[in-house]
Amino acid sequence: MALRVYNTLTRQKEPFQTVRPGQVGMYVCGPTVYKPSHVGHMVGPVIFDTVKRFLTYSGYKVTWVVNITDVDDKLIERAKEQGTTVKELAEKMTADYLDCLRKLDVIGIDLMPKATEHIGEMIEMMQRLIDKGYAYASGGDVYFDVTRDPDYGKLCNRDPAEMEAGTRNEVSEKKRNPGDFAMWKSSKPGEPAWDSPWGRGRPGWHIECSAMSMKYFGHTLDIHGGGLDLKFPHHENELAQSESYSDQPFARFWMHNGLLDMGGKMAGSKGNVVNVVDLLKEFSAESARYLLLATHYRSPIDFLDWKQRLAELGRALESFYRFFERYQRITGDSFYSLVAATTLTDSTAKTLPEASLWRGAWQTFLEHMEDDFNTGGAVAVLYELLNKLNRFADDKKVETEKKPDDIKELKTGAMVLRELAQILGLFWEAPAKKGGDNQVVDGLMKLLIDLRNEARKSKNYALGDQIRNRLKELGITLEDRAGETGWRLG
Ligand SMILES: [Zn+2]
């Protein structure tokens, strides 16, 4: 099977082909940096980070650009409220965004251009659009004339009249048609402003992305990504002005990720905003990343009962951590120090014989990822592989008998797990030593294990078995190891 990717523009999955063989240019719309990042801001980065990891694994050289919108109405307003400058606020919130990315193991972004550093490119683009008759200057503003572009509406598959009715376009005397959108806005006194052929002003949002993506990737990108909420008007407008400018297709693939489902939008006015910083006070960054990848990227992510969901996923992760501890006891090595292949060319899994216990998991994982990056399916495969590894260790009594061949086989399986987990960006570092609930759980488990051992010592095997069976019903497995008893979930 070969990679197929869903393209919003054609509304179907298509074979993945790039402009330059072996290379991928990927542009994902970034944040407007006026407030701290909430969880919704991390959905796109985590998904496209995983897309990049998989494309890299598949042999592509991927360049990924995420822009920073550091001039905007919201920024101007918020800076005024806080008695600070737009520049200072933007810098502070960009630092917050970068910190959140790091915590969620989003490591693949190659370049983060700022809008304010690309004003020249935007002006050049607008001038050419005016010269070609697609845009017009009016009262210090510049507008794109949607009626001059016969393709307008093709990304959303809607006709312009319908789109116009569906949006609350600002009625302005400066516009020729209600659906026309601003590429340049004249500035009011005290607002950030740049010189232009149309007077002092600042760029609109859509033109930033067109100018920056074409600067770094040329006229045609391979992947243009963003959240589903950006499809209209942002991406439709980007597409219109870019293709009118270059007469070339703007993006080979338009990819849109689903949004957090809170039973409505996450918004300050609704009081349901979950900032990344606050989430990380209660839950691990790994469980957040796991949550964002456990659903197909085009579907909404159930976030209504997010605390409950994160707690559930935390327990699923806990069973991986238990296995990593078990692995260390058996082999003496940390799972986290395993250096697994990051490309298919170097893959351990690829070299395994067909009959290998672990090869099937690798194949199924690839099938899911090649089917439009189905991370939800891929996550499920990791979990199946974990169960297989535990079963193998149980059946072969690897911990007590320590047969070299079995240890070797277990190591191979763990290496495959590491190789696949890396593609999803999971298990990048050992979880921090936990306190609170986990200490209580550990203490209780030790108590039950001691009681069981005492029962067995006094030959009360029925009680010993009862403890083991009742724990099994709760989803906890006791493991008899050389000289001691341990436990794991599952
Ligand atoms: Zn954009």
Side-chain angles (χ1 to χ4, degrees):
M1 208 170 125
L3 177 60
R4 292 171 67 80
V5 178
Y6 183 86
N7 188 353
T8 307
L9 186 64
T10 57
R11 285 165 282 283
Q12 59 187 1
K13 288 181 197 169
E14 295 173 16
F16 187 69
Q17 276 167 345
T18 59
V19 179
R20 284 169 290 274
Q23 292 184 39
V24 177
M26 179 164 85
Y27 184 94
V28 176
C29 294
T32 302
V33 281
Y34 72 104
K35 60 180 181 186
S37 298
H38 63 58
V39 184
H41 295 128
M42 291 295 117
V43 181
V46 165
I47 283 163
F48 288 100
D49 183 67
T50 309
V51 164
K52 175 170 174 176
R53 285 170 191 256
F54 184 66
L55 289 172
T56 306
Y57 182 80
S58 307
Y60 289 100
K61 181 166 181 349
V62 185
T63 309
W64 178 20
V65 172
V66 173
N67 66 297
I68 298 282
T69 299
D70 59 348
V71 58
D72 177 87
D73 289 342
K74 289 184 210 125
L75 255 161
I76 295 169
E77 249 170 63
R78 190 61 69 97
K80 214 180 278 173
E81 279 167 24
Q82 297 185 356
T84 181
T85 62
V86 167
K87 191 167 182 288
E88 262 177 23
L89 179 62
E91 277 170 7
K92 204 168 139 196
M93 292 304 128
T94 302
D96 172 82
Y97 183 72
L98 295 178
D99 192 42
C100 295
L101 294 180
R102 256 192 309 274
K103 286 189 172 132
L104 268 72
D105 199 29
V106 174
I107 52 170
I109 302 174
D110 296 287
L111 207 62
M112 299 187 86
K114 291 179 187 162
T116 54
E117 290 172 2
H118 296 79
I119 305 285
E121 285 86 350
M122 297 180 214
I123 290 174
E124 189 273 325
M125 224 184 129
M126 286 182 271
Q127 188 59 61
R128 181 144 160 205
L129 284 168
I130 292 174
D131 295 344
K132 287 178 86 172
Y134 288 107
Y136 57 94
S138 172
D141 298 351
V142 178
Y143 293 95
F144 186 88
D145 185 339
V146 292
T147 63
R148 299 300 304 271
D149 177 10
D151 279 346
Y152 191 69
K154 72 176 175 181
L155 183 65
C156 302
N157 198 25
R158 286 191 277 184
D159 71 62
E162 195 190 326
M163 279 188 287
E164 216 171 84
T167 57
R168 278 168 290 157
N169 284 308
E170 272 175 60
V171 181
S172 164
E173 286 168 9
K174 294 181 186 175
K175 287 187 196 178
R176 286 180 191 161
N177 314 289
D180 293 355
F181 56 89
M183 295 192 286
W184 186 261
K185 299 173 186 177
S186 58
S187 57
K188 298 186 192 83
E191 288 182 353
W194 290 262
D195 287 326
S196 82
W198 319 286
R200 279 180 73 74
R202 61 191 161 85
W205 176 31
H206 318 308
I207 192 77
E208 294 173 13
C209 285
S210 292
M212 286 190 272
S213 54
M214 288 206 265
K215 169 166 177 176
Y216 295 104
F217 295 120
H219 291 162
T220 308
L221 327 166
D222 294 302
I223 296 175
H224 193 313
L228 204 54
D229 53 341
L230 297 186
K231 212 165 99 174
F232 185 82
H234 186 52
H235 287 165
E236 190 74 60
N237 292 352
E238 265 190 51
L239 188 157
Q241 60 201 6
S242 301
E243 296 193 353
S244 302
Y245 169 86
S246 71
D247 299 315
Q248 305 286 327
F250 179 42
R252 283 257 166 128
F253 288 87
W254 286 89
M255 287 178 66
H256 290 99
N257 61 268
L259 308 175
L260 290 188
D261 179 8
M262 306 263 318
K265 209 174 146 57
M266 195 185 268
S269 55
K270 291 194 171 180
N272 62 357
V273 172
V274 183
N275 284 335
V276 178
V277 186
D278 296 326
L279 182 143
L280 294 182
K281 281 179 193 157
E282 276 185 74
F283 299 96
S284 70
E286 189 145 72
S287 56
R289 182 161 178 128
Y290 195 73
L291 172 86
L292 301 184
L293 293 176
T295 313
H296 191 284
Y297 80 88
R298 281 190 281 121
S299 308
I301 298 167
D302 180 3
F303 207 67
L304 201 55
D305 293 319
W306 61 276
K307 288 197 179 187
Q308 196 191 330
R309 284 217 67 203
L310 281 170
E312 277 166 21
L313 293 173
R315 283 194 287 279
L317 284 172
E318 194 63 40
S319 40
F320 282 96
Y321 304 151
R322 290 271 158 202
F323 171 73
F324 301 158
E325 288 167 12
R326 189 180 199 188
Y327 178 80
Q328 183 145 12
R329 283 193 305 274
I330 293 171
T331 64
D333 298 328
S334 162
F335 176 83
Y336 291 94
S337 65
L338 288 176
V339 182
T342 51
T343 63
L344 199 50
T345 320
D346 306 327
S347 166
T348 300
K350 198 173 130 187
T351 61
L352 296 176
E354 285 293 333
S356 158
L357 273 172
W358 326 116
R359 193 181 161 101
W362 168 73
Q363 264 163 345
T364 316
F365 184 99
L366 290 197
E367 280 163 21
H368 282 302
M369 290 301 281
E370 287 184 338
D371 181 14
D372 190 30
F373 308 104
N374 180 4
T375 56
V379 164
V381 172
L382 277 199
Y383 205 71
E384 283 161 24
L385 180 55
L386 170 76
N387 288 335
K388 262 190 187 174
L389 283 158
N390 271 321
R391 246 191 337 263
F392 177 82
D394 291 345
D395 292 349
K396 303 280 181 182
K397 298 192 173 59
V398 186
E399 283 190 64
T400 45
E401 300 197 359
K402 292 188 184 282
K403 283 189 193 141
D405 280 356
D406 292 340
I407 293 178
K408 195 169 163 237
E409 187 64 29
L410 189 78
K411 280 186 172 178
T412 307
M415 191 59 107
V416 173
L417 177 63
R418 183 104 179 123
E419 184 175 320
L420 301 182
Q422 263 176 190
I423 297 173
L424 299 176
L426 291 173
F427 314 131
W428 62 93
E429 62 180 12
K433 272 276 164 249
K434 301 160 226 105
D437 287 355
N438 286 296
Q439 271 176 352
V440 174
V441 170
D442 284 343
L444 284 171
M445 285 308 302
K446 189 169 180 316
L447 173 67
L448 285 167
I449 288 166
D450 287 349
L451 286 174
R452 174 170 169 264
N453 287 342
E454 273 173 36
R456 283 157 61 100
K457 255 186 230 158
S458 53
K459 301 208 185 325
N460 188 350
Y461 295 112
L463 180 60
D465 287 347
Q466 199 185 353
I467 293 174
R468 169 187 279 268
N469 293 339
R470 290 285 294 276
L471 285 171
K472 189 77 198 166
E473 282 167 28
L474 294 170
I476 297 167
T477 306
L478 293 185
E479 294 166 344
D480 288 318
R481 302 162 191 155
E484 56 157 5
T485 304
W487 64 279
R488 64 178 162 84
L489 292 172

